[in-house]
Amino acid sequence: MEVFLLPFITFAQKKGSNTFTVHVHIVNADKNIRLYLIYQFDGKEIFDSTIQKNGLYTFSGIIPQPLDATLATDYDGLGIEGLKKRGNANDFFRFYIHPGVINLETTKFIKDAAISGSAINADNERLKGMSKPFADQLLSINSNVKVLSSKTSISHDDSIKLNTLKKQRNSVLVSLEAIQKKFIQDNP
């Protein structure tokens, strides 16, 4: 379970400075790779794509505030619809786009990219690091709930185990929420 929760952060902007630029450098990139930047704005899903130019992939646009975005790699010329069908098997990277310049660099795979030039994304990485133990616990609990729930016949013992797991999940969610609230308070 990936925790990606910084929608509460506001970003101080000067009037007219709503342009974002994302530079992506993939050290060992095949020249035929196409990158897609996907985000939602004004109730619409935006798909932008680019190819390598002078060793860089570059996206730019105008947005009024930081937005959750996904960068997806098309190695096989599938196009955005083909990538959607393949789902989580894709090489992708989630981050925030915001007015200003954001730099991503990786040796081969977008999922392994490192970001520079973005305080919002640095904060998000810190929050994800703080939340990871709780997210891992939730994955484990949810996996166990799924196994028990998928049985055709649930015994009394299974029912007790399910209730225990649900209580554990609620406890972890409360702890995770406390971490997130503290992070927001400590990082106005």
Side-chain angles (χ1 to χ4, degrees), residues 149-160:
S149 299
S150 67
K151 290 184 172 183
T152 54
S153 175
I154 297 177
S155 70
H156 178 69
D157 286 344
D158 290 341
S159 182
I160 292 171

Side-chain angles (χ1 to χ4, degrees), residues 114-185:
I115 296 180
S116 61
S118 173
I120 290 171
N121 284 295
D123 285 347
N124 189 52
E125 288 303 311
R126 282 187 325 144
L127 178 58
K128 286 193 311 190
M130 293 166 54
S131 303
K132 185 172 181 353
F134 302 100
D136 291 346
Q137 288 177 35
L138 287 173
L139 281 174
S140 176
I141 291 168
N142 289 339
S143 176
N144 290 329
V145 166
K146 186 176 179 179
V147 168
L148 286 171
S149 299
S150 67
K151 290 184 172 183
T152 54
S153 175
I154 297 177
S155 70
H156 178 69
D157 286 344
D158 290 341
S159 182
I160 292 171
K161 288 177 187 173
L162 275 171
N163 284 335
T164 301
L165 287 168
K166 289 177 183 179
K167 287 177 186 175
Q168 288 174 347
R169 179 174 46 202
N170 289 340
S171 175
V172 171
L173 287 170
V174 167
S175 297
L176 181 59
E177 185 176 331
I179 294 279
Q180 293 165 347
K181 281 183 181 177
K182 181 167 178 16
F183 184 88
I184 291 168
Q185 289 170 349

Side-chain angles (χ1 to χ4, degrees), residues 50-169:
T50 189
I51 56 173
Q52 188 183 101
K53 292 177 188 160
N54 300 321
L56 282 178
Y57 298 86
T58 301
F59 296 94
S60 62
I62 298 172
I63 55 174
Q65 68 212 21
L67 298 172
D68 183 12
T70 301
L71 197 58
T73 312
D74 186 354
Y75 295 102
D76 305 315
L78 299 174
I80 195 65
E81 293 303 319
L83 291 176
K84 283 181 176 180
K85 288 178 186 172
R86 201 160 41 172
N88 285 341
N90 293 314
D91 178 22
F92 67 93
F93 185 80
R94 290 189 61 191
F95 66 111
Y96 283 95
I97 55 174
H98 56 79
V101 177
I102 304 164
N103 297 298
L104 283 85
E105 183 159 349
T106 186
T107 54
K108 187 168 183 175
F109 299 108
I110 287 297
K111 67 181 179 183
D112 300 326
I115 296 180
S116 61
S118 173
I120 290 171
N121 284 295
D123 285 347
N124 189 52
E125 288 303 311
R126 282 187 325 144
L127 178 58
K128 286 193 311 190
M130 293 166 54
S131 303
K132 185 172 181 353
F134 302 100
D136 291 346
Q137 288 177 35
L138 287 173
L139 281 174
S140 176
I141 291 168
N142 289 339
S143 176
N144 290 329
V145 166
K146 186 176 179 179
V147 168
L148 286 171
S149 299
S150 67
K151 290 184 172 183
T152 54
S153 175
I154 297 177
S155 70
H156 178 69
D157 286 344
D158 290 341
S159 182
I160 292 171
K161 288 177 187 173
L162 275 171
N163 284 335
T164 301
L165 287 168
K166 289 177 183 179
K167 287 177 186 175
Q168 288 174 347
R169 179 174 46 202

Side-chain angles (χ1 to χ4, degrees), residues 18 24 89 122:
N18 294 341
V24 182

Side-chain angles (χ1 to χ4, degrees), residues 1-68:
M1 169 182 246
E2 183 172 336
V3 179
F4 202 71
L5 300 169
L6 287 182
F8 308 106
I9 291 180
T10 57
F11 192 81
Q13 300 174 29
K14 294 180 183 171
K15 200 170 194 174
S17 66
N18 294 341
T19 300
F20 75 88
T21 302
V22 178
H23 295 294
V24 182
H25 180 227
I26 304 174
V27 176
N28 298 316
D30 180 310
K31 290 184 181 185
N32 296 322
I33 293 174
R34 179 173 292 273
L35 294 184
Y36 288 90
L37 180 67
I38 306 149
Y39 59 98
Q40 288 192 355
F41 174 65
D42 202 22
K44 298 175 186 147
E45 197 165 35
I46 309 295
F47 299 95
D48 194 0
S49 69
T50 189
I51 56 173
Q52 188 183 101
K53 292 177 188 160
N54 300 321
L56 282 178
Y57 298 86
T58 301
F59 296 94
S60 62
I62 298 172
I63 55 174
Q65 68 212 21
L67 298 172
D68 183 12

